[in-house]
Amino acid sequence: MLILAATILFSQFTSQRPTLPFELKPYHADGIYEVGEKVGWLVPPFAMTRPPLPFSYVIKKNNHDVMKTGIVDFTKTYSERREPQFDLAIDEPAMLYVTVTWPAEGNLEYTGTRIRQVFGAVVGPNKLRPVQPRPRDFDAFWNSKIKMLESIPMNPVLTQKDSGNPKVDYWTIQMDHINGTHVYGQIAKPKGEGKFPAMVIYQWASPPYPLQKAWVTDRAAEGWLVINIEPHNVLPDAEPAYYRGLPAELKNYGAIGQEDRDKCYFLQMYLADYRAVDYIASRPDWNGKTLVVTGTSMGGQQSVCVAGLHPKVTHLVVEEPSGCDLTSAQHGRQAGYPEFPASNPRAAATAPYFDAINFASHIRATSLVAMGFVDTIAPPAGIWTAFNQIRGRKEAAPMFEAPHNNTATRAQQLPYTSRANAWLSALVKGERIPPK
C-alpha cells in the first residue's frame, strides 16, 4: 500500500521543494475509510533537539464545505514523546481535502518559507451518488444527435506519411462532421496484413495544439490499430504559427454555447469522438473483438462519454477524467473543468447533457478509472460517482497522493500507470486482464 506523505507542494508558495521537519501519515495508508470512521493524520516519532513550530490545518468536504480547522502544537506531545494527530468522523460518503500550513497561519514571528501541503482521503467511496438526476430526455437528445451524425457520410481522406518506424504504417485523416466541420486525426498500425485490436485516443484540454506522431506510432509498434483525433476542427500536424493564429474564441472553447445544449461546444466534440469509433470499427483490419477508448483529463471525459454512447467500445482506460459533476457547485462539491457557471440558470440547465456522470450508467465496457485524491481540476468526488454508475466490469485506481496529472509525479500516478500498462499489455495480446 502507498503511504500518503506530505510531499505535494504548491509553487505559488515556494519555487523550491523544502521538506517539513516532520512527516504526516494517515490513519489508513490507502486513504480510504468507511462512513462514520475517524479519518486522521498523525506525526510519527521523530528525533529532534526541540519541538518544531506548530502547523494549522483545514479539512473540507469535497473541497467545498469547511468541516474542521485547528492548530497542532508540538510542545506538550514532544516532551511526552507522543504522536501529535488531528482527525474527524463524517457520517456521509465524501472526499476530504486537507490543507496543512507550516508554520501555522497567523505565526507572525516566523519570517522563513511558509509551506502548504495537501492531503486527500475518501469516506465510503462506493456510496457516492450523483448530485442530481439525469435529464428525462437525456437519451432522446443524444439518440437524435447520433442520428443526425449518421446522416452525414464520413468520407474519410487518409494521407500516408512517414511513420519513422519501418514496422509501422502512419496516416493523417480527415472526416466530414456536423455543421460543415471536420474530424482531424492520425492513424497508425503494424505494417503488413492482419487484424488488430483497436485503440482510440482522445486529447486533454488546452487551446488547440498539434498531435504528436509518437502517440500513435508507439502504440502501433506494440500491435495496436490506433486512431488519435483532435478535439477541435483544426489540422492535426500544422506549424506552430497555425495554432497561434486561431481565433481567440476557439482558445476559450469551453465557454462556447454553455447556455444552449444544441450549440454547446462539447456536442461536436462528443460526436467527433463517436465518429472516430465508428471509423476504426469499420476498418477491415480491426479484429472485431477489442476496442479501447482512452485518455487523460478531458481525454478521459471524452472516453467516458463515448463509452456510454457507442456499443462497440469494449474497454475504457482513463486517468482523472474531467467533466464529472458539472453542476457540483450547486450541491456542495467543488466544481472542476469545464466550468459551467453555477449562477447562470441556463448554463446549469445545459450542463447535465454533457456531464460524464450521466453517460456512465450506459457503459458496459470493462473499465479502469483513476482518480487523484487532491485533484482540483477533475475533482475526485465526481470521478468516484461516475465510476459507481458504470455497469460493466470495472476497477478503480485510486491515486492517494496525486493532484491533476499535469502536476503529478510518476510515483503519484503509479497506481494508474502500472494497472493501465498491465491492462493494455494483456489486451493487445488477446489475453485476460491480470488481477489487481
Side-chain angles (χ1 to χ4, degrees), residues 212-287:
Q212 301 301 308
K213 185 184 296 185
W215 295 342
V216 292
T217 56
D218 287 354
R219 289 301 187 187
E222 297 168 355
W224 294 95
L225 164 65
V226 55
I227 183 170
N228 170 214
I229 65 165
E230 283 279 1
H232 314 290
N233 179 36
V234 300
L235 298 175
D237 60 348
E239 295 298 318
Y242 167 81
Y243 301 98
R244 290 196 300 268
L246 292 170
E249 182 186 35
L250 185 57
K251 297 176 183 179
N252 188 33
Y253 59 87
I256 297 175
Q258 285 189 333
E259 296 185 350
D260 186 338
R261 65 181 187 174
D262 291 310
K263 297 178 181 177
C264 180
Y265 193 83
F266 292 95
L267 175 62
Q268 68 82 22
M269 188 184 296
Y270 293 175
L271 291 178
D273 300 335
Y274 193 97
R275 175 131 287 184
V277 173
D278 259 354
Y279 171 75
I280 208 75
S282 73
R283 287 178 59 108
D285 47 5
W286 176 45
N287 69 7

Side-chain angles (χ1 to χ4, degrees), residues 16-302:
Q16 306 298 315
R17 293 181 67 90
T19 57
L20 293 170
F22 51 85
E23 182 183 10
L24 286 175
K25 287 188 176 180
Y27 289 0
H28 288 188
D30 62 3
I32 301 175
Y33 300 79
E34 296 297 328
V35 173
E37 189 175 12
K38 275 195 174 182
V39 182
W41 289 260
L42 55 81
V43 183
F46 51 89
M48 300 183 71
T49 58
R50 61 179 181 177
L53 293 166
F55 65 86
S56 56
Y57 64 88
V58 178
I59 304 176
K60 291 183 178 181
K61 181 178 68 175
N62 300 319
N63 201 19
H64 190 274
D65 299 326
V66 175
M67 302 295 291
K68 188 175 181 180
T69 64
I71 293 178
V72 175
D73 191 332
F74 293 92
T75 305
K76 185 174 182 180
T77 56
Y78 178 84
S79 62
E80 297 176 356
R81 307 307 295 170
R82 289 190 291 108
E83 298 178 340
Q85 62 192 59
F86 60 97
D87 55 32
L88 85 165
I90 183 170
D91 60 1
E92 61 181 303
M95 294 298 308
L96 294 181
Y97 188 92
V98 184
T99 303
V100 171
T101 304
W102 177 87
E105 292 280 16
N107 191 323
L108 301 179
E109 291 107 11
Y110 185 76
T111 58
T113 301
R114 174 162 276 123
I115 302 170
R116 285 188 184 174
Q117 301 178 342
V118 293
F119 304 81
V122 63
V123 177
N126 295 332
K127 298 177 181 178
L128 282 163
R129 295 291 178 262
V131 294
Q132 68 180 57
R134 185 168 55 192
R136 291 184 179 181
D137 63 345
F138 180 88
D139 291 342
F141 172 77
W142 279 104
N143 288 338
S144 71
K145 299 306 179 185
I146 291 170
K147 186 176 180 180
M148 174 186 68
L149 174 69
E150 291 175 339
S151 71
I152 302 168
M154 282 190 279
N155 295 326
V157 177
L158 278 72
T159 304
Q160 188 158 21
K161 299 185 178 183
D162 179 27
S163 71
N165 183 334
K167 297 182 179 180
V168 170
D169 287 327
Y170 173 82
W171 302 262
T172 56
I173 184 171
Q174 171 187 311
M175 294 182 282
D176 290 345
H177 195 34
I178 65 171
N179 301 323
T181 63
H182 296 93
V183 179
Y184 293 99
Q186 55 180 356
I187 297 173
K189 76 172 190 68
K191 189 175 288 291
E193 299 297 321
K195 291 182 179 291
F196 309 100
M199 177 185 293
V200 185
I201 302 172
Y202 299 116
Q203 290 305 124
W204 55 83
S206 172
Y209 54 89
L211 305 177
Q212 301 301 308
K213 185 184 296 185
W215 295 342
V216 292
T217 56
D218 287 354
R219 289 301 187 187
E222 297 168 355
W224 294 95
L225 164 65
V226 55
I227 183 170
N228 170 214
I229 65 165
E230 283 279 1
H232 314 290
N233 179 36
V234 300
L235 298 175
D237 60 348
E239 295 298 318
Y242 167 81
Y243 301 98
R244 290 196 300 268
L246 292 170
E249 182 186 35
L250 185 57
K251 297 176 183 179
N252 188 33
Y253 59 87
I256 297 175
Q258 285 189 333
E259 296 185 350
D260 186 338
R261 65 181 187 174
D262 291 310
K263 297 178 181 177
C264 180
Y265 193 83
F266 292 95
L267 175 62
Q268 68 82 22
M269 188 184 296
Y270 293 175
L271 291 178
D273 300 335
Y274 193 97
R275 175 131 287 184
V277 173
D278 259 354
Y279 171 75
I280 208 75
S282 73
R283 287 178 59 108
D285 47 5
W286 176 45
N287 69 7
K289 298 176 182 179
T290 301
L291 200 162
V292 179
V293 293
T294 186
T296 294
S297 191
M298 191 181 76
Q301 171 185 337
Q302 295 171 79

